[in-house]
Amino acid sequence: MRVLVAYATRHGATAGIAERVAAALTTAGLSAEARPVEDVKDLGPYDAVVVGGAAYMFHWLKPAVSFARRHRKRLAARPVWLFSSGPLGTDLVDKHRKNVLETSRPKEFDELTKLLHPRGEQVFFGAYDPGAPPVGLGERFVQHLPAVRAALPAGDFRDWPAIDAWAAQIAAELGAGQPRGPRHDPFAAGVAAPGTSRRA
Ligand SMILES: Cc1cc2nc3c(=O)[nH]c(=O)nc-3n(C[C@H](O)[C@H](O)[C@H](O)COP(=O)(O)O)c2cc1C
């Protein structure tokens, strides 16, 4: 089974998460590759797709949104998962006692859920180096607002265990590591009659 992990990134953090998910899926026995959404023209060769993007100003990066909309028919016809790379820092709860992974859900996820019927979605902590050169005029502007600088602490925290656990769930749903075919199934092989316990 071939799995594509397509991602949109501005500063590289989301690329790192996508590579990690693809590596975990590969370790689980699937054939997985991480590629920037801009490089993916055809979903034909893939049996399942994970789409990831960074969140900026409450929105999923445009190339990720465009990719999801453009390929909606093919995506909806396959097992698909969405992830966003977003909140900075390590605290799960903000000063309003809200779960930051929930409040950082990109605005487009409601629309994309209706379009693609993903099997799952996940927001992961992001990473950002405030010393990195700003990308685009918009970022150049907001990056220097005192309120934004205060809200964007330096850090490269990524919740690798959560990322690995999510990838493991996907692998399990895709049947990775499961024995295939009737020869491995005691019911199909007539070893146990349907309706009886496998332990019996
Ligand atoms: C100007 C700016 C705005 C951001 N806005 C958000 C946001 O609205 N929600 C969020 O969860 N993260 C926000 N972030 C954090 C990024 O999503 C995070 O750094 C992400 O991991 C970056 O991924 P990338 O390196 O792949 O672009 C913002 C970061 C910057 C620099």
Side-chain angles (χ1 to χ4, degrees):
M1 165 158 315
R2 274 189 84 178
V3 187
L4 170 69
V5 185
Y7 63 89
T9 185
R10 210 186 258 180
H11 293 284
T14 313
I17 295 172
E19 297 283 357
R20 180 81 171 211
V21 170
L25 295 177
T26 302
T27 302
L30 298 163
S31 166
E33 58 183 341
R35 295 176 63 192
V37 287
E38 293 86 353
D39 291 359
V40 181
K41 305 291 173 236
D42 181 17
L43 293 184
Y46 302 103
D47 304 297
V49 184
V50 179
V51 191
Y56 284 89
M57 307 314 284
F58 311 106
H59 293 278
W60 222 29
L61 273 181
K62 271 192 186 144
V65 178
S66 309
F67 175 87
R69 287 184 184 145
R70 191 166 61 250
H71 294 288
R72 61 185 176 279
K73 283 198 182 142
R74 287 213 151 174
L75 287 170
R78 291 164 167 69
V80 63
W81 286 263
L82 306 179
F83 79 83
S84 180
S85 136
L88 299 167
T90 56
D91 291 340
L92 196 54
V93 178
D94 67 14
K95 61 180 179 194
H96 305 295
R97 306 177 75 80
K98 298 225 163 115
N99 182 316
V100 298
L101 299 184
E102 286 170 13
T103 56
S104 302
R105 185 176 188 256
K107 286 189 185 302
E108 291 77 11
F109 270 25
D110 277 344
E111 174 210 332
L112 296 177
T113 296
K114 283 186 197 135
L115 276 184
L116 313 178
H117 310 292
R119 292 205 184 180
E121 65 170 57
Q122 189 66 45
V123 173
F124 294 114
F125 282 103
Y128 178 68
D129 171 9
V135 174
L137 275 182
E139 187 171 315
R140 190 182 298 269
F141 175 69
V142 298
Q143 206 186 29
H144 292 99
L145 294 176
V148 172
R149 283 199 84 80
L152 295 174
D156 60 359
F157 173 75
R158 246 81 54 87
D159 193 352
W160 298 123
I163 294 164
D164 291 343
W166 193 64
Q169 263 179 38
I170 293 174
E173 277 205 43
L174 292 175
Q178 302 290 318
R180 283 192 197 165
R183 278 188 304 130
H184 301 287
D185 186 333
F187 288 106
V191 175
T196 61
S197 163
R198 284 176 190 242
R199 288 198 198 142

